[in-house]
């Protein structure tokens, strides 16, 4: 069969890498893809938000399955459009992807269906928001309602910072329309984990546990990014926590979405805050995490294509996932300046030494290729991903890959996976 992957990041390179290994697959296309996906299949120059262009391509090329990576095309309704034309597509429909596209909606859903989450209120005006901040005190968390590429959350340590964040968002100077509404919520302590599951709207099949590293600097310091690295499994997700997350977060959310007339089909990602026995939901995403997808797919033993197909067809009751026992780690290498304004066009050296092995893969994200040379072209540039017998082995192997690669301004965290060893 022919498969089309929509997107161009590290997550999509990992999806193309895994899908291309399936004996069921003849050819994988990626729209628009990156130099990493070009090596495994064929890139097609269609933007992720060009829905008519994507549909037209899928129909002409007789694509048997389309897999959506990022949130933007989901929230624009790419799944609804493909389904209207009888095409198979993996991803959440527009009204289900709303769980990510609106944080206010996600919070209201959680309240209604008793999904544990931080206490909160939603505001569209500065004055009542400031009154709420004064009532709750700091630290406090301010979130832009809409999509903001993982950067619409401010953890304010003092009143000035909180008031500034609310004012910036509600005045439209930060995040435009995405900030026209803000969610203000209680600051939660604990350790985060990314809990992902496939669902057909009824059945829920959890993926292996994973943990992201959101802050840009070692020790979780500095501003938040889209994710500077990830590993799997995450020991913070003990069997008891796993059970709780399935029962109180996943089951209630999937049932709640169905009851709301927004049946959820696809991969549902819950960002969890775990503190002792307590599990609370920070957010939902309607897609695979990036970079969590990279280590997760490296640990997935099963062919992913029948799984994606079963989700697209709406029945996963016969799906079983098998995982490698080994651990995997992805270290993100970022461009100078990221997550602020960042450099582009720096030549990347040492890429070819860095891995075409089964257990060490350099996933491309923000790169471009000219005449066999590679240059930086995005904030998160590469995701060096390794599998090893233990998390320590996987970390060592990933960093061996990382140190072989360099460009002007490159930076990465040196502590990816350390929390897992700490346990
Ligand atoms: P979100 O996009 O809602 O997951 O927020 C991004 C990041 O901000 C999370 O991964 C957490 O690191 C942090 N965060 C969000 N909400 C809270 C909260 N209520 N308490 C503490 N940290 C939070
Ligand atoms: N790595 C976090 C995310 O994909 O939202």
């Amino acid at each position: 069969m022919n498969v089309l992957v929509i997107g161009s990041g590290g997550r999509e390179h990992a999806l193309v890498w895994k899908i291309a290994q399936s004996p069921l697959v003849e050819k994988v296309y990626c729209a628009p893809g990156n130099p990493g996906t070009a090596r495994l299949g064929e890139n097609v120059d269609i933007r992720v938000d060009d829905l008519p262009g994507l549909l037209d391509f899928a129909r002409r090329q007789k694509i048997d399955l389309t897999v959506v990576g990022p949130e933007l095309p989901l929230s624009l309704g790419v799944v609804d459009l493909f389904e209207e034309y009888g095409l198979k597509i993996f991803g959440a429909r527009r009204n289900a992807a709303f769980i990510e596209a609106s944080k206010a909606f996600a919070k209201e859903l959680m309240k209604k269906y008793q999904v544990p989450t931080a206490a909160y209120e939603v505001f569209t005006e500065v004055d009542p928001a400031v009154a709420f901040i004064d009532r709750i005190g700091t630290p406090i968390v301010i979130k832009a309602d809409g999509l903001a590429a993982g950067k619409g959350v401010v953890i304010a340590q003092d009143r000035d910072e909180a008031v500034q964040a609310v004012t910036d968002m509600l005045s439209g100077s930060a995040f435009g329309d995405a900030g026209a509404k803000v969610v203000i919520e209680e600051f939660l302590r604990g350790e985060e984990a990314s809990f992902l599951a496939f669902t057909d709207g009824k059945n829920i099949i959890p993926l292996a546990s994973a943990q992201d590293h959101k802050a840009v600097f070692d020790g979780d310091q500095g501003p938040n990014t889209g994710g500077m690295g990830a590993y799997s499994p995450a020991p913070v997700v003990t069997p008891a926590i796993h059970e709780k997350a399935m029962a109180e977060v996943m089951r209630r959310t999937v049932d709640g979405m169905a009851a709301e007339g927004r049946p959820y089909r696809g991969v549902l990602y819950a960002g969890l805050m775990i503190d002792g026995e307590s599990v609370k939901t920070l957010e939902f995403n309607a897609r695979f995490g990036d970079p969590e997808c990279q280590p997760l797919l490296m640990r997935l033993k099963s062919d992913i294509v029948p799984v994606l197909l079963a989700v697209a067809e709406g029945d996963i009751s016969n799906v079983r996932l098998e995982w490698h026992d080994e651990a995997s780690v992805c270290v993100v290498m970022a461009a100078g300046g990221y997550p602020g304004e960042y450099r582009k066009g720096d030549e990347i050296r040492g890429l070819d030494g860095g891995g075409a092995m089964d257990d060490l893969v350099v996933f491309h994200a923000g790169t471009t290729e000219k005449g066999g040379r590679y240059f930086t072209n995005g904030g998160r540039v590469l995701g060096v991903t390794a599998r090893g017998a233990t998390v320590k082995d996987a970390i060592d192997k990933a960093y061996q890959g990382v140190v072989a690669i360099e460009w002007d301004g490159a930076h990465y965290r040196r502590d990816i996976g350390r929390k897992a060893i700490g346990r």
Side-chain angles (χ1 to χ4, degrees):
M1 51 191 280
N2 293 322
V3 179
L4 168 66
V5 174
I6 298 175
S8 64
R11 165 183 53 210
E12 288 76 23
H13 186 182
L15 283 164
V16 168
W17 172 81
K18 184 69 185 166
I19 289 166
Q21 292 170 30
S22 169
L24 300 169
V25 170
E26 259 162 69
K27 186 154 183 183
V28 193
Y29 298 89
C30 195
N34 64 39
T37 62
R39 287 207 217 167
L40 302 166
E42 188 178 324
N43 286 351
V44 283
D45 191 15
I46 308 173
R47 286 164 41 149
V48 303
D49 60 354
D50 178 5
L51 271 45
L54 293 165
L55 175 69
D56 182 55
F57 176 80
R59 296 181 75 196
R60 267 190 295 113
Q61 289 296 323
K62 309 232 176 320
I63 298 295
D64 301 290
L65 173 67
T66 299
V67 181
V68 188
E71 59 275 23
L72 181 61
L74 295 172
S75 57
L76 292 174
V78 71
V79 172
D80 311 59
L81 180 67
F82 274 51
E83 285 180 350
E84 240 173 73
Y85 284 84
L87 298 175
K88 283 185 190 151
I89 181 161
F90 173 92
R93 287 184 194 152
R94 182 187 178 133
N95 70 358
F98 202 50
I99 200 168
E100 170 169 8
S102 170
K103 289 187 188 286
F105 168 78
K107 294 295 289 191
E108 280 149 28
L109 183 93
M110 289 191 263
K111 192 190 250 178
K112 185 164 173 189
Y113 294 95
Q114 280 116 47
V115 177
T117 189
Y120 76 101
E121 273 188 47
V122 179
F123 297 93
T124 53
E125 308 278 347
V126 175
D127 288 350
V130 171
F132 184 69
I133 291 166
D134 284 335
R135 189 146 61 77
I136 301 288
T138 53
I140 195 163
V141 185
I142 323 278
K143 301 182 174 185
D145 176 52
L147 295 177
K151 289 157 211 149
V153 174
V154 174
I155 305 198
Q157 296 302 335
D158 57 46
R159 183 180 188 276
D160 286 353
E161 208 185 331
V163 172
Q164 188 69 50
V166 163
T167 314
D168 289 351
M169 286 183 197
L170 289 179
S171 71
S173 63
F175 316 116
D177 278 356
K181 243 191 226 177
V182 296
V183 171
I184 304 187
E185 68 180 34
E186 163 201 13
F187 175 78
L188 299 176
R189 284 165 218 284
E191 188 172 339
E192 286 181 57
S194 305
F195 198 100
L196 286 82
F198 291 116
T199 172
D200 54 14
K202 217 164 74 190
N203 303 288
I204 305 171
I205 301 179
L207 276 68
S209 58
Q211 190 175 67
D212 189 12
H213 298 66
K214 293 246 158 85
V216 66
F217 301 129
D218 287 11
D220 296 331
Q221 301 298 306
N224 270 349
T225 68
M228 292 298 289
Y231 63 89
S232 172
V236 66
V237 183
T238 60
I241 295 290
H242 175 95
E243 225 168 275
K244 213 170 189 175
M246 279 297 282
E248 296 181 5
V249 180
M250 287 296 169
R251 175 46 64 197
R252 290 177 193 174
T253 302
V254 168
D255 289 352
M257 290 294 279
E260 293 294 304
R262 299 172 183 268
Y264 195 100
R265 185 187 281 183
V267 59
L268 179 63
Y269 165 146
L272 303 179
M273 185 67 92
I274 298 161
D275 189 14
E277 292 303 299
S278 147
V279 178
K280 287 191 175 163
T281 310
L282 295 172
E283 65 160 347
F284 287 108
N285 294 317
R287 50 172 175 81
F288 290 104
D290 185 345
E292 294 93 324
C293 186
Q294 291 84 311
L296 282 171
L297 293 191
M298 199 172 259
R299 285 192 63 217
L300 181 63
K301 220 190 239 177
S302 313
D303 184 350
I304 196 172
V305 173
V307 182
L308 299 172
L309 258 181
V311 175
E313 288 167 352
D315 182 6
I316 60 169
S317 50
N318 292 318
V319 169
R320 300 283 173 274
L321 298 179
E322 267 194 85
W323 300 91
H324 288 286
D325 288 332
E326 297 120 295
S328 60
V329 172
C330 170
V331 179
V332 169
M333 299 181 72
Y338 179 80
E341 222 168 284
Y342 54 81
R343 297 164 57 121
K344 275 189 183 179
D346 289 302
E347 180 161 10
I348 305 169
R349 294 172 295 270
L351 246 188
D352 273 313
M357 287 170 275
D358 170 52
D359 56 1
L360 177 65
V361 184
V362 179
F363 291 116
H364 288 237
T367 68
T368 180
E369 188 255 356
K370 275 184 216 104
R373 294 158 69 193
Y374 296 91
F375 301 87
T376 64
N377 193 40
R380 293 188 291 172
V381 177
L382 298 170
V384 182
T385 309
R387 200 172 66 218
T390 63
V391 70
K392 173 149 194 332
D393 292 340
I395 292 170
D396 290 346
K397 201 181 293 179
Y399 280 103
Q400 277 166 29
V402 166
V403 297
I405 300 170
E406 52 180 24
W407 66 84
D408 290 345
H411 65 97
Y412 53 87
R413 280 181 58 160
R414 275 136 173 106
D415 63 348
I416 302 301
R418 199 171 290 164
K419 278 195 199 119
I421 296 185
R423 283 174 177 266

